[in-house]
Amino acid sequence: MSDAGAEKRIRIFDTTLRDGEQAPGCSMTLSEKLRIAKALTELNVDIIEAGFPAASPGDFEAVKAIADRNFGPVICGLARCNAADIEKVHAAVRGADKHRIHVFVATSAIHREHKLKMAKEEIIRSAVGAIKMARELCEDVEFSPEDASRTELSYLAEVVSAAIEAGATTVNIPDTVGYTVPAEFDHLFRYLKDHVARINEVTLSVHCHNDLGMAVANSLAAVAAGARQIECTVNGIGERAGNCSLEEVVMAIKTRAEFFGLETGIDTTRLYPTSRLVSNITGMHPPRNKAIVGENAFSHEAGIHQHGMLQHASTYEIMRPEDVGLSKSKLVLGKHSGRHAFRDRVTELGFELDDFETNRAFQEFKKLADKKKDVYDGDIESIIMSAGSSSSGPWALKSLEVQTHTDEPATATVSLMGEDGTGVSRSALGDGPIAAAFQALEAATGVTMVLQNFELHSASIGDDALGEVTVTVEIDGHSFRGRGASVDIVEAGCRACLEVINRSLRRRARDESPVSDDQAAHATI
Ligand code: KIV
Ligand code: ZN
């Protein structure tokens, strides 16, 4: 199939930390970004786009911290076509042995006229100047003509030729607004191959958004037409409807290898754990029927399907769950399971905990196993994620009591324990138990919160599953995201809110500048 590019190997350029993070509600702290960068390294992605250093001091620090860890993949940062942006990217990424500067400028008529107010020649001059400057600083330079799919083909070919002459080593073709369709994109890539003289000297890349649900299909059309780098994000997170989903595009190339004749370097058994990590961190959980990593992606409900599966799995299964890192049986441990079994399972799930963290998580697991018969992978992940996020005070939840009655306001009483051993207890009324508990927390801590978002997700299966709550809350004009987990969803919500209250109080105490600056100094993986 792929006669358009001789090379079989497709590079996976992950932009979860840059384009993915731009999605509403997906912003991440520095330590969360470091955890994701480490997971992407274990997944064996080729390039990590770690952020947009000129966007904020926090972004700069995050890209720099990731680059300085020198995880292994190429570390890339995004820049507009100006000297300040390019210098910032270089300063942020240079700590990694392999680093890249990615410059972009929009080229479509709509962007030229309404956004940039620049003529065609001016845009080419700006791109050429930026690429030349970036090449003086770094050997590896990527150029993206933003909104390429809506740019006149002949002008796009002119821009790409000029970019290659200026020294770009990768040319990326974005479908910025998710507008193209596979046949049209195939034509665009073949046009560039035919009309840009030195195109075979650079890596041709594709970057698709999912506004019409075709990001994966369009990316596959581009590689079939000769692209050798795919830009994508874990769980397909990103602006609006998101970006090309890493797990889907990788498994399409692997499962249909005989059709595409291509391969990636991805360790596909890390796909599911990485997806879980990103959804736990962002609080954005893929729908149950999401391809590859959705809860139902490998479940068979209809009797006729189950019968076929029992005869031979290939009747209804084109991929094996274990190929994407989903263990056959998700039932793992119970109250009689020991520390060794727990530690082994934690390691299999991709977590690296030190002795202190293992002990803390094991104690939480034992408490949970007393409350519910079967403990699943999702429950264990949830315990570890919440332990990591709620470990610092000043306040810890001692107890919560809630009363509800139809047609009457709910009452909640929270008792908190401070770091210095002092306790405080407050009660409040609310329209429902969650509102009452949040108001009791405000009264107990003296922190006023504006709740912006509340999401509830079940960590595993069954009516006794751990409920995971992710809240986005505004305190002192800053937005914080917090997580909490419990078999009681009101308690999970309280724990999530208490996490953000604690963070805001620590911030106040340190009279911080932006949160991420401070986290830069304290971050650990
Ligand atoms: O969607 C887009 O055009 C981008 C570019 C900056 C590559 O994200
Ligand atoms: Zn994009």
Side-chain angles (χ1 to χ4, degrees):
M1 168 76 195
S2 94
D3 51 358
E7 210 187 315
K8 279 176 66 176
R9 173 74 152 74
I10 301 293
R11 282 169 218 190
I12 296 297
F13 175 115
D14 181 277
T15 183
T16 306
L17 297 174
R18 199 277 298 169
D19 226 354
E21 210 226 1
Q22 279 174 226
C26 281
S27 60
M28 302 166 204
T29 65
L30 176 63
S31 62
E32 289 169 340
K33 287 183 184 180
L34 282 165
R35 269 173 28 222
I36 291 179
K38 187 158 176 278
L40 293 172
T41 304
E42 282 157 14
L43 189 61
N44 210 24
V45 304
D46 299 282
I47 301 111
I48 296 175
E49 187 164 51
F52 188 174
S56 71
D59 254 54
F60 177 88
E61 288 305 336
V63 177
K64 182 162 170 18
I66 291 169
D68 289 352
R69 303 281 165 129
N70 207 8
F71 285 119
V74 176
I75 303 299
C76 173
L78 184 68
R80 287 162 296 195
C81 286
N82 67 61
D85 273 30
I86 294 168
E87 275 159 10
K88 279 204 178 98
V89 171
H90 182 241
V93 298
R94 63 191 298 182
D97 288 344
K98 292 184 280 175
H99 51 269
R100 174 179 297 185
I101 301 178
H102 179 187
V103 294
F104 77 100
V105 64
T107 51
S108 65
I110 300 177
H111 282 242
R112 291 195 310 262
E113 285 157 28
H114 301 292
K115 185 178 89 173
L116 299 174
K117 305 198 191 313
M118 280 164 81
K120 284 180 172 175
E121 304 69 37
E122 241 182 307
I123 285 173
I124 294 185
R125 269 201 304 279
S126 151
V128 166
I131 293 166
K132 284 188 172 160
M133 175 183 173
R135 270 309 297 266
E136 278 170 23
L137 300 168
C138 177
E139 282 187 355
D140 187 348
V141 173
E142 172 167 331
F143 170 70
S144 289
E146 190 190 6
D147 207 16
S149 56
R150 292 193 299 169
T151 301
E152 308 87 319
L153 282 179
S154 58
Y155 177 57
L156 184 63
E158 227 183 292
V159 175
V160 169
S161 295
I164 296 173
E165 292 302 323
T169 48
T170 296
V171 171
N172 177 46
I173 303 300
D175 180 27
T176 304
V177 289
Y179 181 72
T180 198
V181 296
E184 183 185 54
F185 219 31
D186 170 272
H187 176 67
L188 184 155
F189 274 81
R190 291 182 197 275
Y191 182 93
L192 291 179
K193 287 233 143 204
D194 290 344
H195 291 81
V196 177
R198 295 177 54 203
I199 196 125
N200 290 330
E201 295 174 26
V202 297
T203 301
L204 200 47
S205 167
V206 59
H207 176 114
C208 292
H209 282 264
N210 205 30
D211 299 64
L212 292 173
M214 282 185 280
V216 172
N218 289 332
S219 302
L220 291 171
V223 292
R228 286 296 174 268
Q229 172 179 286
I230 301 176
E231 303 200 350
C232 45
T233 60
V234 176
N235 296 340
I237 63 169
E239 290 269 20
R240 308 179 309 277
N243 286 54
C244 171
S245 143
L246 183 150
E247 53 283 349
E248 291 179 23
V249 84
V250 163
M251 286 312 288
I253 289 170
K254 182 178 165 112
T255 308
R256 300 305 312 276
E258 88 301 342
F259 181 79
F260 289 107
L262 301 169
E263 62 193 25
T264 70
I266 294 296
D267 174 359
T268 62
T269 65
R270 302 299 311 154
L271 287 173
Y272 188 72
T274 313
S275 159
R276 285 283 303 169
L277 177 72
V278 170
S279 52
N280 277 322
I281 285 179
T282 57
M284 198 186 269
H285 297 274
R288 284 185 169 265
N289 64 343
K290 160 95 166 62
I292 318 297
V293 293
E295 287 286 313
N296 291 357
F298 291 93
S299 333
H300 301 270
E301 200 64 36
I304 191 166
H305 288 201
Q306 288 175 348
H307 177 70
M309 286 286 294
L310 289 174
Q311 307 299 315
H312 203 286
S314 66
T315 48
Y316 286 101
E317 205 163 73
I318 59 166
M319 299 165 276
R320 295 177 314 162
E322 51 271 39
D323 291 343
V324 304
L326 193 64
S327 52
K328 267 234 164 77
S329 156
K330 290 204 273 166
L331 167 64
V332 274
L333 304 169
K335 72 195 249 183
H336 300 298
S337 306
R339 191 179 297 268
H340 275 299
F342 178 76
R343 190 189 271 272
D344 286 353
R345 194 64 206 158
V346 165
T347 310
E348 269 179 56
L349 287 171
F351 292 98
E352 279 175 35
L353 303 187
D354 61 24
D355 286 347
F356 173 78
E357 290 164 333
T358 306
N359 283 342
R360 188 173 59 191
F362 184 66
Q363 277 161 21
E364 288 302 315
F365 157 72
K366 280 289 183 191
K367 278 194 225 156
L368 182 64
D370 269 342
K371 288 191 199 158
K372 77 194 286 267
K373 197 165 129 261
D374 301 324
V375 179
Y376 295 84
D377 285 352
D379 297 318
I380 295 181
E381 285 166 342
S382 193
I383 286 174
I384 295 170
M385 297 297 296
S386 337
S389 54
S390 62
S391 50
S392 333
W395 293 108
L397 184 68
K398 218 168 106 199
S399 69
L400 167 71
E401 202 186 305
V402 186
Q403 280 171 346
T404 56
H405 196 281
T406 35
D407 302 330
E408 274 177 36
T411 320
T413 304
V414 292
S415 298
L416 305 181
M417 174 72 81
E419 271 170 339
D420 55 2
T422 51
V424 56
S425 219
R426 289 288 182 278
S427 300
L429 296 176
D431 288 340
I434 290 177
F438 286 5
Q439 282 172 46
L441 275 178
E442 288 185 317
T445 60
V447 173
T448 307
M449 305 180 276
V450 182
L451 185 64
Q452 294 173 322
N453 194 30
F454 180 98
E455 273 179 47
L456 174 63
H457 175 81
S458 161
S460 62
I461 53 173
D463 54 14
D464 60 354
L466 267 187
E468 291 173 335
V469 169
T470 310
V471 290
T472 311
V473 166
E474 196 184 293
I475 299 174
D476 300 340
H478 298 283
S479 188
F480 296 89
R481 197 174 52 235
R483 261 187 313 272
S486 167
V487 285
D488 172 342
I489 59 168
V490 184
E491 183 187 327
C494 254
R495 291 191 181 280
C497 271
L498 198 56
E499 188 202 332
V500 295
I501 286 175
N502 278 333
R503 289 225 309 275
S504 74
L505 289 172
R506 295 199 300 272
R507 181 185 180 123
R508 275 185 200 170
R510 291 191 300 257
D511 190 25
E512 298 167 351
S513 48
V515 131
S516 32
D517 284 349
D518 176 71
Q519 283 164 335
H522 294 85
T524 52
I525 297 176

